[in-house]
Amino acid sequence: MNQLNQIAKELLTSQKVKLVIGYGEGTDGRVRPVFVRKSEDASQLIWDDRCRQNLAVYLNKTEIREIGFPIAIVSLPATVRSIVQLIAEHQFQVEDVIPIVQEGANVTTIENKERLEQYAAANPVVFPPFVVEEIENIRNKSVEERFEYWQEELSRCFKCYACRAACPLCYCERCITDVNTPQWVCVPPHAIGTFEWHMNRAMHLAGRCVECGSCTIACPVGIPIGLLTMEATRIAREELGYEPGIKCDVPAALATFRPDDKESFIL
Amino acid sequence: MTYYTISHNNLLEFLKSIRAQGKKLIAPQQREQKIFFMETDDVSSIVFDYIQTSISPKDILFPRVEPLITYELTADALQVNDRAEQLPSISTVLFGARPCDAVALTMLEKFFAEEPGDPFVEKRAKQLTVISVSCSKADSYCFCTSVGVSPGDTRGSDILLTPCENNEYYVEVLTEKGNDLVQKSQNLFNKSEKKEKEKYLANVSSDIPAEEISKRLENAFNNPLWNEASLRCIGCGTCAYVCPLCSCFDIEDEGTQKCGTRLRCWDSCGFALFTMHTSGHNPRRTQSERWRQRVLHKFSYLPQRVQVFGCVGCGRCSRACPVDMNLKEQLQLIKEAL
Amino acid sequence: MENESFEPKIVAFVCNWCTYAGADLTGTSRIKYATNVRIIRFPCTGRIDYNLILKAFERGADGVIVSGCHPNDCHYTSGNFHARRRWIVFRGLLEYMGIDPRRIIFSWVSAAEGAKWADVVNRAVTEVRQLGPAKEFNEMRKSQAFEFRSV
């Protein structure tokens, strides 16, 4: 992507940023995250259909932050949404991050709040067809069938927490699973332990998950784990009217309320 | 050592008969485009055409969670049960391990046999028979030959099968356990002479000899190369979990006042909290220090202490890594940088 | 197991200021109601973590009642509003993962609504009796190394 390399080179030469996070060539046709700090390395950056992972996860890492804000980051629509959501959650300021985005055939940077929110709203996350299919599939199942489905999928989970590590919105320095007084989540990956873990993760991401799919990509045993957090966000969207990743200053979905929140299920 | 040949169909019959003898059969199965070692009753579901499974078979000896003791407080007394004594005796056959996996299993046994010795791993190893299948294919992630293992390595296997022409396998029966199994189904096997199996094995280049790397790593602790190398690592722990040799563990207790259990669970040095002290100090504060630890442990500390590499070159960590850390490439970088 | 002879175990998470007091009123009014319920008193519904509801099921409950002050009547002003949001998401997620949401009965019962409390409990027991024992959790429990026993 020539425009991309040009932009990155300029950002680094002008010293506007000390770091550009993007995608580069990996092993055997894979794509890997790259961290460009010298302008001559800007040619390492690529951008094509293989680039699916959400790089915003690196914006939470201490070692990356220690390189110094502002950081430029090659951003898919989901990445921009993560960035907006992270700003809404006060993890960094708007001026700390410069997303490099695609707009039609062009590659540009976003350097102010209005453009950021505009881009996020104008570029909703589009699910690949197999995801749409799977969501339909589960929606058409009865409650018992859904139980069978998730028990089967989660039976392979061995609690490696790769889903958590890959998620840009799982940035807690001490996760609920790391607490043992009390032990909220059963340690072993038996049926109860995995059920509790994924239930907690989905609840903690309700109205925060930007549906990027990084968790599913990271899972070493092939569980479509993103479907759970996506469902939590869908509920927040449809029942609570809450859309994550669109506005830079909204309060958290589950930390606020509306007096008229739906309550048809309450006696 | 005795040698045989066996046809693919007879091999399936052999596996059926193993099940019929009441043994537990663990073999490669496909789930969602990935291959796993799973217990099976149906030999027709066993997968043969693949390079490597996603997760290693180490959980047969070293399960993800091992209850060590359980306690129960009744009205009269406190009862504490040693789960090692209660381990059921189930004769298990692992089919389809690769030679690298078999070598790793022996090394795991060795690690856990260090004083005072681990009764769980010991018991499980006694009940396990390993039937490995040599590698006729490899991919660019494999590097077993760089760490002293080969695609036809016999160490750790009780029986080693090498796929040959005509849908047949060359069989090397290496131990008593292997022999016992074969004797029960003698009619399925054809006696053979020792064969030259090199031509059937995959070609795995060894341009990063691990001994050389070990030497260079001795002075690499403070080298800045670890920083660059580890920036993309997200500390997810997948590499340690899929590795056939990683055996770090955490002890966790679960229970109530009335009953509970003490569990030994897998842990990974890649996790941020792995070395966190209760004071809040973390001697491996950054991911680069944790990445350095992983590489040094496998290629420097273990060779120095127990004269083995902590790696069999199976490539699983690199295949599973969501950000393509690629251990083989890291070793190449170390070779060049140092 | 015949559904008629099955007596569900119900755990009720209630807030101290409204529902607990309401349940007291049910008692002092001598209103008879189903005896399957074990009540756990919380200062406020806002304190009820959904993990506690999960633990109740894991330890053998077949159904759970969660009850508190009516909106705008919370002793701590807004605890019940926060709780309500949480329940909306939790309920939906449970259903998505295959647990029948009818096993959890939510209600607002004030300190003056003794009769309503009896009603809520009776409804919950009837509903859960029809649904049968919580076999999803029974199944999941089977894979644990040991059985949790009640304290």
Side-chain angles (χ1 to χ4, degrees):
Chain A
M1 276 231 76
N2 247 324
Q3 285 181 61
L4 171 60
N5 303 126
Q6 208 39 49
I7 291 178
K9 196 158 177 206
E10 260 171 51
L11 284 168
L12 289 164
T13 333
S14 64
Q15 299 199 330
K16 197 163 187 186
V17 302
K18 295 202 197 93
L19 170 65
V20 179
I21 305 176
Y23 302 95
E25 289 292 349
T27 315
D28 264 9
R30 277 176 77 174
V31 146
R32 63 167 66 156
V34 294
F35 300 84
V36 179
R37 286 190 274 184
K38 305 199 205 102
S39 55
E40 52 268 28
D41 292 335
S43 50
Q44 279 178 23
L45 295 167
I46 60 167
W47 203 347
D48 56 40
D49 288 331
R50 294 172 298 163
C51 306
R52 293 176 302 148
Q53 277 160 311
N54 188 341
L55 299 175
V57 65
Y58 293 106
L59 296 170
N60 297 318
K61 289 185 68 184
T62 25
E63 305 90 298
I64 305 284
R65 290 185 176 208
E66 278 168 8
I67 296 177
F69 283 134
I71 295 176
I73 175 168
V74 174
S75 304
L76 304 166
T79 316
V80 174
R81 289 159 71 94
S82 311
I83 292 171
V84 173
Q85 189 63 25
L86 285 167
I87 291 171
E89 294 178 6
H90 311 291
Q91 292 307 301
F92 44 75
Q93 324 267 37
V94 178
E95 49 273 14
D96 290 335
V97 178
I98 300 180
I100 304 175
V101 298
Q102 279 184 349
E103 264 188 318
N106 293 325
V107 177
T108 58
T109 57
I110 295 180
E111 297 184 49
N112 66 55
K113 183 170 143 189
E114 287 70 38
R115 273 259 294 153
L116 187 63
E117 292 181 342
Q118 218 175 45
Y119 188 88
N123 291 277
V125 173
V126 176
F127 297 147
F130 69 88
V131 173
V132 177
E133 224 179 274
E134 198 62 8
I135 295 179
E136 256 317 290
N137 187 13
I138 298 178
R139 191 146 298 159
N140 292 332
K141 287 184 199 280
S142 68
V143 172
E144 286 85 17
E145 288 169 341
R146 288 179 191 180
F147 185 70
E148 287 306 318
Y149 174 85
W150 283 112
Q151 287 297 299
E152 170 65 39
E153 294 291 338
L154 293 181
S155 65
R156 297 195 298 282
C157 174
F158 58 175
K159 298 263 205 95
C160 66
Y161 301 120
C163 48
R164 176 184 72 180
C167 175
L169 287 155
C170 276
Y171 52 76
C172 288
E173 288 179 21
R174 194 155 179 238
C175 176
I176 193 174
T177 54
D178 297 325
V179 177
N180 65 0
T181 41
Q183 188 77 50
W184 287 112
V185 176
C186 274
V187 172
H190 46 48
I192 297 220
T194 47
F195 186 83
E196 285 180 343
W197 161 234
H198 291 292
M199 196 64 191
N200 267 285
R201 186 156 178 270
M203 282 296 293
H204 287 184
L205 283 168
R208 303 174 61 232
C209 166
V210 295
E211 301 165 307
C212 69
S214 284
C215 47
T216 307
I217 297 174
C219 178
V221 295
I223 303 172
I225 204 67
L227 292 176
L228 281 175
T229 46
M230 278 160 50
E231 174 67 10
T233 265
R234 182 200 69 82
I235 297 171
R237 181 183 293 130
E238 290 177 20
E239 315 277 0
L240 307 178
Y242 200 89
E243 184 70 50
I246 301 288
K247 290 261 175 243
C248 288
D249 36 40
V250 280
L254 286 184
T256 51
F257 59 88
R258 281 194 322 228
D260 59 349
D261 278 333
K262 155 196 146 144
E263 58 165 79
S264 56
F265 61 93
I266 305 181
L267 295 177
Chain B
M1 264 215 257
T2 39
Y3 309 102
Y4 299 89
T5 55
I6 187 170
S7 70
H8 183 82
N9 287 335
N10 279 352
L11 173 61
L12 293 178
E13 287 304 315
F14 177 46
L15 294 172
K16 266 195 211 146
S17 76
I18 287 174
R19 253 323 267 143
Q21 290 163 43
K23 296 188 201 290
K24 186 156 123 170
L25 177 64
I26 299 179
Q29 311 265 298
Q30 178 161 349
R31 294 282 186 280
E32 304 266 357
Q33 284 108 42
K34 292 185 198 274
I35 316 280
F36 300 97
F37 284 112
M38 289 180 141
E39 195 178 334
T40 183
D41 268 336
D42 173 18
V43 301
S44 61
S45 67
I46 298 178
V47 182
F48 288 87
D49 185 21
Y50 66 94
I51 292 183
Q52 189 54 289
T53 58
S54 300
I55 333 185
S56 76
K58 77 179 169 193
D59 61 344
I60 301 175
L61 292 186
F62 175 55
R64 171 65 177 82
V65 169
E66 179 90 78
L68 300 176
I69 57 168
T70 54
Y71 66 87
E72 206 173 314
L73 187 67
T74 57
D76 322 15
L78 171 67
Q79 205 189 346
V80 179
N81 304 309
D82 181 347
R83 292 289 295 232
E85 287 165 17
Q86 298 174 339
L87 261 185
S89 300
I90 309 177
S91 181
T92 308
V93 173
L94 168 63
F95 173 73
R98 296 293 183 200
C100 52
D101 296 331
V103 172
L105 286 174
T106 54
M107 284 160 72
L108 262 186
E109 267 181 81
K110 191 172 166 196
F111 292 157
F112 282 101
E114 264 186 51
E115 281 303 303
D118 184 300
F120 296 92
V121 176
E122 198 188 317
K123 260 202 180 161
R124 290 178 191 278
K126 270 210 191 80
Q127 301 172 45
L128 177 67
T129 309
V130 180
I131 306 178
S132 307
V133 179
S134 303
C135 306
S136 20
K137 291 187 286 188
D139 62 14
S140 52
Y141 292 100
C142 294
F143 61 101
C144 57
T145 45
S146 304
V147 286
V149 182
S150 84
D153 210 309
T154 52
R155 287 176 291 164
S157 304
D158 296 297
I159 301 175
L160 178 60
L161 303 174
T162 304
C164 311
E165 55 270 301
N166 302 327
N167 228 1
E168 272 197 347
Y169 298 86
Y170 168 53
V171 183
E172 292 167 87
V173 179
L174 304 152
T175 62
E176 274 304 311
K177 267 191 201 162
N179 203 29
D180 283 342
L181 262 191
V182 170
Q183 292 309 316
K184 294 203 176 81
S185 307
Q186 271 250 286
N187 56 318
L188 297 170
F189 292 82
N190 297 321
K191 266 212 180 298
S192 166
E193 291 168 348
K194 183 168 163 141
K195 276 197 198 201
E196 270 312 307
K197 60 184 187 190
E198 281 306 307
K199 60 182 178 195
Y200 301 115
L201 298 179
N203 191 0
V204 181
S205 63
S206 62
D207 43 0
I208 30 149
E211 280 93 10
E212 228 186 279
I213 309 275
S214 285
K215 275 204 203 74
R216 297 179 196 212
L217 284 176
E218 272 167 41
N219 299 313
F221 197 79
N222 290 313
N223 194 299
L225 74 90
W226 302 113
N227 267 320
E228 270 315 303
S230 65
L231 275 177
R232 63 184 185 276
C233 174
I234 49 177
C236 68
T238 294
C239 50
Y241 276 42
V242 302
C243 173
L245 274 181
C246 278
S247 49
C248 282
F249 56 83
D250 189 23
I251 302 287
E252 313 218 18
D253 293 335
E254 268 199 346
T256 64
Q257 296 141 300
K258 293 287 171 141
C259 63
T261 179
R262 169 155 290 185
L263 306 164
R264 180 187 65 196
C265 316
W266 288 359
D267 204 351
S268 163
C269 58
F271 289 143
L273 296 181
F274 187 72
T275 44
M276 175 71 88
H277 296 178
T278 35
S279 62
H281 169 65
N282 189 345
R284 294 185 202 139
R285 189 185 64 95
T286 59
Q287 201 62 50
S288 75
E289 290 164 294
R290 297 189 282 268
W291 177 248
R292 174 182 62 192
Q293 155 63 18
R294 180 173 175 72
V295 175
L296 287 178
H297 187 201
K298 287 184 175 291
F299 294 96
S300 180
Y301 306 152
L302 276 174
Q304 282 174 12
R305 282 194 339 110
V306 293
Q307 289 77 49
V308 291
F309 290 109
C311 176
V312 290
C314 71
R316 283 188 180 92
C317 54
S318 309
R319 288 185 204 98
C321 177
V323 297
D324 197 28
M325 285 300 280
N326 202 324
L327 189 57
K328 183 173 165 187
E329 188 188 301
Q330 294 287 309
L331 295 176
Q332 270 157 349
L333 286 171
I334 291 169
K335 183 176 159 199
E336 284 154 27
L338 299 173
Chain C
M1 194 198 235
E2 292 292 311
N3 268 352
E4 294 90 68
S5 64
F6 158 61
E7 277 308 322
K9 286 197 190 74
I10 312 275
V11 176
F13 294 92
V14 305
C15 86
N16 175 60
W17 302 98
C18 285
T19 306
Y20 195 76
D24 263 348
L25 183 57
T26 322
T28 51
S29 313
R30 302 281 183 260
I31 300 176
K32 285 195 172 25
Y33 61 100
T35 53
N36 312 52
V37 68
R38 283 94 158 143
I39 297 183
I40 303 180
R41 181 174 66 114
F42 283 77
C44 176
T45 46
R47 167 60 183 102
I48 301 171
D49 194 313
Y50 53 85
N51 276 306
L52 295 170
I53 302 179
L54 280 182
K55 298 283 180 201
F57 280 115
E58 286 163 22
R59 307 279 172 107
D62 300 297
V64 167
I65 298 173
V66 179
S67 181
C69 306
H70 287 263
N72 291 314
D73 292 345
C74 177
H75 185 83
Y76 304 98
T77 319
S78 55
N80 54 359
F81 284 128
H82 288 289
R84 178 171 64 180
R85 268 227 161 170
R86 227 178 278 148
W87 300 340
I88 292 170
V89 183
F90 184 55
R91 214 169 162 264
L93 266 178
L94 268 188
E95 190 172 14
Y96 194 68
M97 288 191 82
I99 308 289
D100 200 324
R102 292 174 297 177
R103 288 195 185 274
I104 312 184
I105 292 91
F106 297 93
S107 64
W108 304 131
V109 173
S110 79
E113 292 179 306
K116 184 173 180 188
W117 176 244
D119 213 32
V120 166
V121 175
N122 287 332
R123 269 183 81 150
V125 173
T126 321
E127 180 83 51
V128 178
R129 191 184 281 125
Q130 272 193 332
L131 290 171
K135 55 177 164 33
E136 307 97 334
F137 285 95
N138 289 339
E139 242 184 76
M140 291 201 280
R141 252 203 303 277
K142 280 193 199 121
S143 63
Q144 277 186 269
F146 70 106
E147 279 287 323
F148 275 112
R149 283 194 297 111
S150 46
V151 176

